[in-house]
Amino acid sequence: AQKVTQAQTEISVVEKEDVTLDCVYETRDTTYYLFWYKQPPSGELVFLIRRNSFDEQNEISGRYSWNFQKSTSSFNFTITASQVVDSAVYFCALTGGDSNYQLIWGAGTKLIIKP
Amino acid sequence: DAGVIQSPRHEVTEMGQEVTLRCKPISGHDYLFWYRQTMMRGLELLIYFNNNVPIDDSGMPEDRFSAKMPNASFSTLKIQPSEPRDSAVYFCASGRLEGGEQFFGPGTRLTVL
């Protein structure tokens, strides 16, 4: 069975601090995809990144970076120099295998950036 | 591109009434998904379509819920009769590729009194 665990329910940091959101997944599939989505207080779900299981290269996009490690089944998300606008709930998700299009969602991590 | 469009954005109705939620996916996307989000249960996939055909409706809570996709640019989710426990935010999402990212609409916040 597939599963995504985001153990951090809520994280609170002061603006400009770096923060890492953890995501651990379980799957028996050799081909799978991992995602991060952002849900700001306004409620929409915003796609951030998709990573396939054969690409373990880390990704950097501005202040955002993602660390994918198959050895530990983790796909962690780091925000560098956090800003108040980064405050949101962040979801990690997994798909692949028999449910090729069904996203398995983590419970989400609520990130609070204090000014 | 306009993104996924959902209407209405907010719906308040009384128990027993029929509710219809609407979705226009991104043009060219072959997959369409309906989700429900509540504090208690998080994000739940209700049903998804591929090329207008329902593929998996195992997440539809009960027979009061039905979804249709008459063409590539329109889908509806209907609840009849509605109940207070149906109160949630309903999201529609679309995507192009198997295993690909899904793009979400702004959601419909449904309140059933």
Side-chain angles (χ1 to χ4, degrees):
Chain A
Q2 297 179 313
K3 185 179 179 182
V4 175
T5 301
Q6 295 180 258
Q8 303 150 310
T9 305
E10 184 174 306
I11 300 174
S12 180
V13 301
V14 177
E15 198 172 20
K16 298 183 183 177
E17 287 185 17
D18 298 347
V19 58
T20 296
L21 309 182
D22 297 332
C23 173
V24 174
Y25 63 92
E26 295 175 29
T27 181
R28 294 180 181 176
D29 300 319
T30 54
T31 300
Y32 52 90
Y33 302 88
L34 294 160
F35 304 80
W36 277 95
Y37 282 83
K38 174 183 180 180
Q39 188 171 38
S42 51
E44 71 271 26
L45 276 156
V46 180
F47 165 76
L48 295 179
I49 190 172
R50 168 180 179 259
R51 174 67 68 203
N52 75 55
S53 52
F54 297 108
D55 183 1
E56 285 195 75
Q57 281 192 357
N58 291 334
E59 175 103 5
I60 298 175
S61 176
R63 296 182 298 105
Y64 293 175
S65 63
W66 290 268
N67 183 284
F68 175 31
Q69 290 193 340
K70 289 179 75 171
S71 60
T72 56
S73 297
S74 65
F75 186 42
N76 296 337
F77 173 31
T78 298
I79 302 175
T80 303
S82 60
Q83 299 177 2
V84 173
V85 293
D86 296 327
S87 297
V89 179
Y90 291 86
F91 293 95
C92 181
L94 164 74
T95 191
D98 291 339
S99 56
N100 267 328
Y101 233 106
Q102 185 160 155
L103 281 173
I104 309 300
W105 295 85
T109 296
K110 183 175 183 179
L111 178 61
I112 300 169
I113 309 297
K114 299 178 182 178
Chain B
D1 205 326
V4 176
I5 299 172
Q6 290 187 248
S7 65
R9 295 292 306 277
H10 302 274
E11 177 83 21
V12 180
T13 190
E14 293 189 346
M15 184 173 65
Q17 295 298 306
E18 177 179 297
V19 175
T20 299
L21 311 182
R22 297 173 175 80
C23 175
K24 177 179 169 55
I26 294 172
S27 177
H29 283 190
D30 297 327
Y31 291 84
L32 183 139
F33 309 81
W34 283 102
Y35 288 89
R36 179 171 68 176
Q37 186 179 37
T38 60
M39 288 294 293
M40 290 294 293
R41 302 168 76 103
L43 268 165
E44 302 174 277
L45 177 65
L46 301 177
I47 185 172
Y48 80 91
F49 296 82
N50 181 21
N51 291 322
N52 313 337
V53 176
I55 303 300
D56 185 350
D57 65 353
S58 58
M60 296 285 260
E62 47 199 275
D63 292 345
R64 298 185 296 107
F65 286 70
S66 62
K68 294 181 180 179
M69 191 165 186
N71 58 62
S73 58
F74 183 67
S75 177
T76 59
L77 178 68
K78 187 175 292 187
I79 308 172
Q80 166 63 20
S82 58
E83 296 183 1
R85 59 192 168 122
D86 301 330
S87 297
V89 179
Y90 290 81
F91 288 101
C92 175
S94 70
R96 278 183 307 165
L97 300 171
E98 187 172 292
E101 57 268 37
Q102 298 176 19
F103 295 92
F104 284 75
T108 295
R109 181 173 295 277
L110 173 65
T111 303
V112 183
L113 303 174

